[in-house]
Amino acid sequence: MSNSGSNLDRLRRNNLATVLRIVHRSRAASRAQITAATGLYRSTVAALVAELAALGLVVEGEPEATNRVGRPSPRVHPHPGVVALAVNPELDAVTIGVVGLGALVEHRVRHPVSSAVTPEDTVEIVRDVVQDLRGGPLADRRIAGIGAAVPGLVRAGDGLVRLAPHLGWTDAPIAQMLGDALGVPAMAENDASLGALAEHLFGVGRDVDDLVYLNGGASGIGGGVIAGGRPLRGVGGYAGEFGHNRPGVPDSAHRVSLTGSLEDEVSRARLLAVAGLEAADEPTLERALLESRDESVVAEELDRQRRILSTALSNAANVLNPSLIVLGGFLATLLASDPEKLAELVAEQTLPPTAEQLQLRAAELAEDRLLIGAAELVFAPLLGDPVLASRLAP
Amino acid sequence: MSNSGSNLDRLRRNNLATVLRIVHRSRAASRAQITAATGLYRSTVAALVAELAALGLVVEGEPEATNRVGRPSPRVHPHPGVVALAVNPELDAVTIGVVGLGALVEHRVRHPVSSAVTPEDTVEIVRDVVQDLRGGPLADRRIAGIGAAVPGLVRAGDGLVRLAPHLGWTDAPIAQMLGDALGVPAMAENDASLGALAEHLFGVGRDVDDLVYLNGGASGIGGGVIAGGRPLRGVGGYAGEFGHNRPGVPDSAHRVSLTGSLEDEVSRARLLAVAGLEAADEPTLERALLESRDESVVAEELDRQRRILSTALSNAANVLNPSLIVLGGFLATLLASDPEKLAELVAEQTLPPTAEQLQLRAAELAEDRLLIGAAELVFAPLLGDPVLASRLAP
DNA sequence: CGGAAATGTTGCGTCGGTGCACATATTAGC
DNA sequence: GCTAATATGTGCACCGACGCAACATTTCCG
């Protein structure tokens, strides 16, 4: 039993973790704010902050110029010297980021590739890029580890990629490989789950403890769930695969695929086709669709996809009762093309009390989302027990 | 911030809670077992158990006759003097139970009703029954509170029944009413969510932290989810409404309802019809169906319902990645009528790594399930902070 | 410019868990 | 049967974390 906080040592570490999490999430918090948020006494917070500073995890800075009575309280910031590496292998590129505590993306390198990368390619690219960065953004930084956001099913615990159809990976021990190559702790998780986490901690879902995140990409639809303020992982870590669900399709003429799965019915390829585009990035596709949304072919396809999506979203809402559904990629475009209609369709198929509390929103963090999520994976152990920082290489 | 265990007082109460939860879940644990499970020191456990005993929550008994070396360790049991009242208003009856710590159902009263009860009826019945019990099962007991398992949407926090179509209740403050009538803390929650909790803590799902529970009753299909060892509630407490989901129905001839919702397609009424029964309890229906499952009308309807159910289960599995799906009521009959077939259909539509770890099982706790779940609701505050017991009437 | 308010700083008190030393109860081996 | 080994209960001294009170510091306000 990991009875967190069972003895004095755990108690201290718990409180250190609580303080560090506050600083991490807020990026800057005065000691007075920390005192209020934790309920701990002033002197205790002072001692905890001092210990975190000694661990090299936070720095105390000048007080914020607030126009209030009383002695100003020094502001506590994440220490810029601690970073996580984040990797996102995709069909067209491998993106690598350097992310500080507080989810600050300090550096991002996009390494384009012509064809799908193998796990070996990925590790090699990462090694090369990191080598280059050692002189610059990584100089004098302590690297907490490396996290990979992978478009596929990633086993919880060891970061084994069970299946990434898009990349063509099967049972690839990507975390193990990255760890061996770089000599730092390495972990991996599904990209959409990390996107959900990032939007929850630093995006549209900041103040929301129950949300569903769905992202529409070229390869399909991925998803992640935050329930009760915590990521929903399931036994194996495979939770959130909304794309493979089969929602009801009331009008059989609307069904265009054999399986009837969400990502076969609601797909970027079909939107590109009606927009008359070969390939396009998301803003281009969105613009094209919004400009031509009155043409009947476009309008009908948007409507068809919106309807099927609405059933899938209602199914999710009935089961998870979230206060927010965050849509990314081309799903955000489906929302943008007629927000009221989508909301109306969802509300129709959702139990009224659940529908009342439900909001639909587009994602917010753009290209940093997966890097932030992957970094969060790396920081998680540290945010759970800051004393681990003493083991980081200087 | 409810930073559990932030100070010394919380630390103590946390540890008390941990010990009490162990005793509650196991019904009997030796002090040595508690020591091992918590990682606390022998002397600490002794002190904690002594404090729980002083609070009237546990009793120490004779050591179990184990054939091992060493001094025998006294066994710690839940104190029989602490009970919760549990209520389950249903169409045909109001059931009231007296449940002790350790989920021991000490007494059960079924009060049949001819037509659906109102909230007022329910409270009156409960008051009368409890009055009768005061001389017997409730004599010299400390009542921790009363919990209601309601077939409908119950708002988290205040136990307001937003909607119970089956009973015809709308915005009924049942928890408030029960509390006022009995003068004890009162709370309410959806029946299936409590069923899920009960099966997780004391039923088939004992050692499982991620499970989905689906119950098929006369009025429809209710559900509950345990994710990461904790009940999934959602913002409003309405999570788990699988019955209102619309699963894909590949063969349009299989679709028989307008909405296409799970509970309209997969229903007890249609099973009764093909079995040629007017009304029947669950064992009778199950026997009738299993005996006639080779007749084509019966076989076809079983097959049709099984297929649609399988899609709904797959949808749930893809999103929640549970290790167990527990089926109750007539859904257990659908499983029993051809377990391999249902498992096969689910596996087909579920992502392979998710399907690998997934098991389908029938529910286990029978008629005690909802009473145990409702009692758990009552005991929850006590199991979170045993010191609250000092406020219970003697 | 002085009082009020808010917060940092310091030292001490309280209290919870640990661990040692010893007592006790059971099994295993001869 | 007796003794050794083992596991656990018991009592007490120790350590360490947080709370608190008193004092110091900084700002705002009239």
Side-chain angles (χ1 to χ4, degrees):
Chain A
M1 171 168 299
S2 73
N3 182 10
S4 99
S6 65
N7 57 28
L8 284 182
D9 185 42
R10 281 260 177 76
L11 171 57
R12 192 86 211 274
R13 273 146 63 176
N14 257 346
N15 285 338
L16 283 172
T18 304
V19 172
L20 184 57
R21 272 193 298 260
I22 289 172
V23 174
H24 172 58
R25 269 194 77 158
S26 66
R27 284 171 193 166
S30 70
R31 265 164 49 187
Q33 289 172 328
I34 296 172
T35 302
T38 56
L40 297 168
Y41 199 73
R42 296 203 294 265
S43 47
T44 306
V45 171
L48 292 171
V49 170
E51 186 165 345
L52 289 175
L55 285 165
L57 292 173
V58 303
V59 286
E60 286 197 88
E62 289 303 297
E64 189 183 19
T66 164
N67 285 331
R68 291 198 331 215
V69 241
R71 178 174 176 172
S73 187
R75 275 156 53 104
V76 185
H77 303 271
H79 196 297
V82 180
V83 296
L85 297 171
V87 199
N88 175 225
E90 261 295 346
L91 251 193
D92 53 346
V94 176
T95 307
I96 295 149
V98 178
V99 186
L101 270 174
L104 295 160
V105 179
E106 294 169 15
H107 202 78
R108 181 175 48 239
V109 180
R110 189 167 184 280
H111 184 101
V113 292
S114 49
S115 62
V117 287
T118 63
E120 289 75 16
D121 295 340
T122 307
V123 171
E124 199 166 320
I125 292 168
V126 170
R127 186 165 30 200
D128 291 350
V129 169
V130 169
Q131 194 54 47
D132 284 354
L133 296 178
R134 287 205 190 275
L138 286 179
D140 300 321
R141 298 293 168 88
R142 299 198 291 166
I143 300 174
I146 181 163
V150 182
L153 298 174
V154 184
R155 186 160 73 191
D158 62 358
L160 178 79
V161 178
R162 288 299 311 277
L163 187 70
H166 186 201
L167 297 172
W169 297 6
T170 307
D171 290 329
I174 189 72
Q176 177 77 48
M177 292 166 68
L178 285 168
D180 289 348
L182 297 180
V184 296
M187 45 217 91
E189 199 170 317
N190 171 265
D191 56 353
S193 296
L194 294 176
L197 183 58
E199 291 287 349
H200 165 57
L201 292 171
F202 300 100
V204 249
R206 272 198 75 99
D207 301 313
V208 163
D209 273 353
D210 296 86
L211 68 83
V212 170
Y213 167 78
L214 280 177
N215 188 65
S219 54
I221 293 176
V225 177
I226 303 292
R230 307 199 311 187
L232 185 88
R233 297 194 205 276
V235 236
Y238 310 126
E241 289 295 332
F242 294 92
H244 290 78
N245 272 10
R246 300 167 192 228
V249 183
D251 185 340
S252 59
H254 282 170
R255 182 144 155 228
V256 296
S257 75
L258 252 175
T259 62
S261 75
L262 180 64
E263 68 182 20
D264 288 345
E265 293 290 332
V266 174
S267 87
R268 196 168 190 274
R270 293 182 201 280
L271 291 178
L272 280 173
V274 294
L277 294 168
E278 286 282 309
D281 60 4
E282 207 45 50
T284 312
L285 174 61
E286 174 153 339
R287 209 171 329 108
L289 287 169
L290 293 185
E291 278 168 12
S292 59
R293 67 178 145 180
D294 294 331
E295 291 170 31
S296 70
V297 218
V298 175
E300 274 169 28
E301 179 63 13
L302 284 173
D303 180 68
R304 188 190 70 81
Q305 293 205 12
R306 210 155 35 219
R307 281 180 190 279
I308 296 176
L309 177 63
S310 76
T311 302
L313 297 184
S314 302
N315 286 351
N318 283 327
V319 169
L320 299 164
N321 181 211
S323 51
L324 180 66
I325 294 180
V326 180
L327 299 174
F330 78 88
L331 296 181
T333 304
L334 279 180
L335 173 64
S337 70
D338 195 342
E340 292 76 24
K341 184 65 183 172
L342 185 60
E344 184 194 319
L345 287 168
V346 170
E348 266 169 22
Q349 302 173 81
T350 307
L351 284 160
T354 300
E356 274 170 28
Q357 294 178 287
L358 180 63
Q359 299 215 308
L360 306 180
R361 290 278 163 77
E364 207 172 61
L365 297 172
E367 73 270 22
D368 284 343
R369 190 188 309 130
L370 296 187
L371 299 181
I372 290 175
E376 202 59 32
L377 198 56
V378 173
F379 289 138
L382 216 52
L383 293 169
D385 183 4
V387 175
L388 293 176
S390 56
R391 289 204 223 137
L392 289 183
Chain B
M1 170 168 299
S2 74
N3 181 11
S4 98
S6 64
N7 58 29
L8 284 182
D9 185 42
R10 280 262 176 75
L11 170 57
R12 192 84 211 272
R13 273 145 62 175
N14 257 345
N15 285 339
L16 283 172
T18 304
V19 173
L20 183 58
R21 270 194 299 261
I22 289 172
V23 175
H24 172 58
R25 270 195 76 159
S26 66
R27 285 173 190 163
S30 71
R31 260 157 59 181
Q33 289 172 327
I34 296 172
T35 302
T38 57
L40 296 168
Y41 200 75
R42 296 204 294 266
S43 40
T44 306
V45 171
L48 292 171
V49 170
E51 187 165 345
L52 289 175
L55 285 164
L57 293 173
V58 304
V59 286
E60 287 197 87
E62 289 303 297
E64 188 183 21
T66 164
N67 285 330
R68 292 196 333 213
V69 252
R71 178 173 176 174
S73 188
R75 274 155 55 102
V76 186
H77 303 271
H79 195 296
V82 180
V83 295
L85 297 171
V87 197
N88 175 225
E90 261 294 346
L91 251 192
D92 53 346
V94 176
T95 307
I96 295 149
V98 177
V99 186
L101 271 174
L104 296 160
V105 179
E106 293 169 16
H107 201 80
R108 182 174 48 239
V109 180
R110 189 168 183 279
H111 184 100
V113 292
S114 49
S115 61
V117 287
T118 63
E120 289 75 18
D121 295 340
T122 307
V123 172
E124 198 166 323
I125 293 169
V126 170
R127 187 171 22 205
D128 291 350
V129 170
V130 169
Q131 193 53 47
D132 284 353
L133 296 178
R134 287 205 191 273
L138 285 179
D140 300 322
R141 299 293 167 89
R142 298 198 293 165
I143 301 175
I146 181 163
V150 181
L153 298 174
V154 184
R155 187 160 73 191
D158 62 357
L160 177 78
V161 178
R162 288 299 312 277
L163 189 70
H166 185 202
L167 297 172
W169 297 7
T170 307
D171 290 329
I174 190 70
Q176 178 74 50
M177 292 166 68
L178 286 169
D180 289 348
L182 297 179
V184 297
M187 44 216 92
E189 199 170 317
N190 171 264
D191 56 351
S193 297
L194 294 176
L197 182 59
E199 290 287 347
H200 165 57
L201 292 171
F202 300 99
V204 248
R206 274 199 74 100
D207 301 313
V208 163
D209 273 352
D210 295 86
L211 68 84
V212 170
Y213 166 78
L214 279 177
N215 188 65
S219 54
I221 293 176
V225 177
I226 303 291
R230 305 200 312 187
L232 184 88
R233 297 193 204 276
V235 236
Y238 311 126
E241 290 295 332
F242 294 91
H244 291 79
N245 273 9
R246 298 164 193 231
V249 182
D251 185 340
S252 57
H254 282 169
R255 180 140 157 235
V256 296
S257 76
L258 253 175
T259 62
S261 75
L262 179 63
E263 67 181 21
D264 288 344
E265 293 290 332
V266 175
S267 87
R268 194 166 191 275
R270 293 181 200 280
L271 290 179
L272 280 173
V274 294
L277 294 167
E278 286 282 311
D281 61 3
E282 207 46 51
T284 311
L285 174 60
E286 175 154 338
R287 208 169 334 106
L289 287 170
L290 293 185
E291 277 169 10
S292 59
R293 66 179 145 182
D294 295 331
E295 293 170 28
S296 69
V297 219
V298 174
E300 275 169 29
E301 179 62 13
L302 284 172
D303 181 68
R304 188 190 69 81
Q305 294 204 13
R306 210 155 34 218
R307 283 181 189 277
I308 296 176
L309 178 63
S310 76
T311 303
L313 297 184
S314 302
N315 287 350
N318 283 326
V319 168
L320 299 164
N321 181 210
S323 50
L324 179 66
I325 294 180
V326 180
L327 298 174
F330 78 88
L331 297 181
T333 303
L334 279 181
L335 173 64
S337 70
D338 195 341
E340 292 77 24
K341 184 65 182 172
L342 185 60
E344 184 194 319
L345 287 168
V346 170
E348 267 169 23
Q349 302 172 82
T350 307
L351 285 159
T354 299
E356 274 170 25
Q357 294 177 287
L358 179 63
Q359 299 216 309
L360 306 180
R361 289 279 163 76
E364 207 173 61
L365 297 171
E367 74 271 21
D368 283 343
R369 189 189 308 129
L370 296 187
L371 299 180
I372 290 174
E376 202 59 32
L377 198 56
V378 172
F379 288 137
L382 215 53
L383 293 168
D385 182 5
V387 174
L388 292 176
S390 55
R391 289 205 224 136
L392 289 183

